[in-house]
Amino acid sequence: MRIMMYDDAGQAQGLMLQNREGIVSISYTELEYVEVINKTVSFHLTDGAVHEMSAALADFEGQLLSRPEFLKTHRSYLVNLRHVRSVDGGHVMTKSGHSIPISRKRRSQVQDAYMNLGHLSETAAPDVHTAGTFGKTERPAGPWRILMVDDDPADRKLWVDVLQRHGCVVRQAEKGNDALSMAADEPYDCVLLDVMIPNEDGFAICEELRKLVQAPVIFLSSLTESDKQVKGFAAGGIDYITKDTSEELFWAKVETRIKLAMSDRTQLRYGSLLLDLTERKALIHEKELPLTPIEFDILWRISERAGYIFTPEEIFGMVWGGQPWDGGQMVQVHMSRLRRKLEKAEGEQCFIETVWGQGYRFVSTGP
C-alpha cells in the first residue's frame, strides 16, 4: 500500500492513506500516535478513531519524523508530542489517557524533546512558518532542527541517522544555493556544512549562511589539514568536525554547540571544579583533568542536576543514545575511571557519590 503526502496551501498538512477503507486523509494535528505491530500500522487519532493498513515503518517514518512535533519513542511507536500530557519513567501519557512505552535507549531524547516543547500548550503551534532569518522569526517549538549540506548521499545518511536517533529533525541540501534558500525560509538550531561541494566553495557558503542564520555553523569535512580548519573558523564556522570522527564525539560536539548557542552559560563552577563548556575541559584548582569526551559528558550532565540520583540506565541513555543497553557495564567502567581522576586531583571529595542500589549523584561543595 502506498502512503502519500498531501498539500494544503502549499504546506504539508497530513497523510493520505490507501487501505481497506479506501482513501483516508489524516491531519497531523489530529494524529496522536502511530503503532506498528509486525506489518500492521495503526494510526490513532485524537477523537479515538483508528485507521489500520498493511505497511512497514520505513514507508512513512521519514515523513513523520520530518515534522518537529513527532518523535520516535520506541521502535514500534511514533508520538505527536503536542498531544502528550506527561513523560514519566518508561512511558508517555497522552492527553487522551493513552500510555505509550519508551525504550531505554530513547528515554533521554524523549525527555529532552518534551522539555524543549515547553511542556506544550493546549493549542498546537501553527504549522506554517513566516519566511525570515533565525532570530527574526519565532523558532517553532519542538526538537532541534538541523540543516545538513552535503552532496554525498551516503555521508548524509550516516550523520542524519545519528542526529535522528537523538531526536533531531534534519533537513538536507545537496547544493549551496538550496541551503541558502532553506535557511532563509525557516529557522534552524544548527547547520552542518561540507567543505568539498562540487563547483562550489564551502567556505564561501558559510559566509553567506552567517548572514541568514544566528545558529552555529559547523563544518563536517573529510579534509583534516589544519589550514583548512583555520580557514573554516575564519569563514565563520563555530567548529570543524572531520568525517573520521566517532559518532559519539560527533554528537557531543553538535549537542554542545547548540546548547551553548541557546544559553549564555559557558562555564559551570562547583567549588574547586570548573567545567568549561566551550573548550570541553574540566579543571580542579585551575589544573586541567585528563578526561575523555565521554567522561566529560557524564560529569557535565550529572553536575547540572546536583543532588539528583541518576540510574545507570539514565546515564547510558544520555551518553550512548541509540546503542543497545548493556546492563550497565559501560557506565560502571567510565564512572569508575572518572571518579579516580577526580579523587586524584581533589582527594576524598570527588564530587560523585554512589547511592547503592540506585545509581550516582553529583555533590557540589561550592556555589
Side-chain angles (χ1 to χ4, degrees), residues 157-170:
K157 184 179 187 308
L158 170 65
W159 301 114
V160 166
D161 285 349
V162 175
L163 294 168
Q164 289 181 340
R165 286 203 303 269
H166 287 276
C168 299
V169 173
V170 187

Side-chain angles (χ1 to χ4, degrees), residues 21-290:
E21 303 167 27
I23 301 297
V24 180
S25 297
I26 299 178
S27 167
Y28 286 131
T29 59
E30 299 172 349
L31 181 57
E32 182 179 305
Y33 70 98
V34 180
E35 180 181 11
V36 183
I37 301 178
N38 296 325
K39 292 291 184 177
T40 300
V41 182
S42 300
F43 297 83
H44 296 257
L45 307 188
T46 54
D47 62 2
V50 180
H51 298 287
E52 292 187 350
M53 65 177 298
S54 297
L57 179 63
D59 292 337
F60 63 88
E61 180 182 27
Q63 293 173 334
L64 287 178
L65 290 181
S66 68
R67 303 285 303 183
E69 65 267 38
F70 282 92
L71 191 68
K72 192 173 182 181
T73 67
H74 187 279
R75 68 178 182 178
S76 302
Y77 292 90
L78 289 169
V79 178
N80 187 334
L81 288 177
R82 298 197 189 283
H83 298 301
V84 170
R85 185 174 67 200
S86 63
V87 179
D88 184 19
H91 291 80
V92 297
M93 183 67 69
T94 70
K95 295 174 183 177
S96 299
H98 295 112
S99 181
I100 302 168
I102 311 174
S103 63
R104 288 191 183 98
K105 67 180 181 180
R106 298 188 186 277
R107 287 180 187 175
S108 62
Q109 75 180 60
V110 173
Q111 289 277 3
D112 288 345
Y114 181 60
M115 294 297 291
N116 286 340
L117 277 170
H119 292 289
L120 311 173
S121 61
E122 289 296 322
T123 303
D127 286 319
V128 180
H129 309 306
T130 303
T133 61
F134 184 86
K136 297 181 181 180
T137 305
E138 183 179 355
R139 181 195 182 280
W144 290 339
R145 302 168 65 82
I146 295 178
L147 174 60
M148 172 163 286
V149 190
D150 195 321
D151 67 294
D152 190 324
D155 283 351
R156 288 203 310 272
K157 184 179 187 308
L158 170 65
W159 301 114
V160 166
D161 285 349
V162 175
L163 294 168
Q164 289 181 340
R165 286 203 303 269
H166 287 276
C168 299
V169 173
V170 187
R171 307 292 193 198
Q172 302 178 49
E174 295 185 12
K175 300 178 180 178
N177 287 337
D178 295 337
L180 294 174
S181 296
M182 295 167 72
D185 286 342
E186 58 181 316
Y188 292 93
D189 298 299
C190 181
V191 179
L192 292 167
L193 175 62
D194 190 15
V195 173
M196 297 178 63
I197 300 177
N199 303 316
E200 296 186 87
D201 181 351
F203 300 117
I205 295 172
C206 178
E207 292 177 351
E208 293 301 313
L209 282 169
R210 295 299 297 134
K211 299 175 184 178
L212 295 172
V213 301
Q214 293 182 354
V217 178
I218 300 175
F219 283 101
L220 181 60
S221 176
S222 58
L223 300 177
T224 60
E225 295 88 347
S226 59
D227 62 320
K228 298 296 184 184
Q229 299 189 33
V230 170
K231 191 173 181 180
F233 287 111
I238 197 69
D239 209 334
Y240 192 109
I241 304 176
T242 58
K243 290 185 177 180
D244 58 356
T245 299
S246 68
E247 293 182 8
E248 61 187 24
L249 181 54
F250 162 79
W251 170 247
K253 288 191 172 187
V254 172
E255 181 185 38
T256 298
R257 291 304 181 184
I258 293 177
K259 285 186 174 181
L260 288 178
M262 291 181 169
S263 172
D264 293 330
R265 292 190 307 167
T266 59
Q267 293 185 339
L268 301 175
R269 168 73 73 172
Y270 306 102
S272 61
L273 174 64
L274 174 68
L275 298 182
D276 187 321
L277 306 185
T278 303
E279 299 294 331
R280 290 180 58 81
K281 294 180 180 179
L283 300 92
I284 288 184
H285 300 299
E286 313 308 322
K287 184 177 181 180
E288 184 178 350
L289 295 175

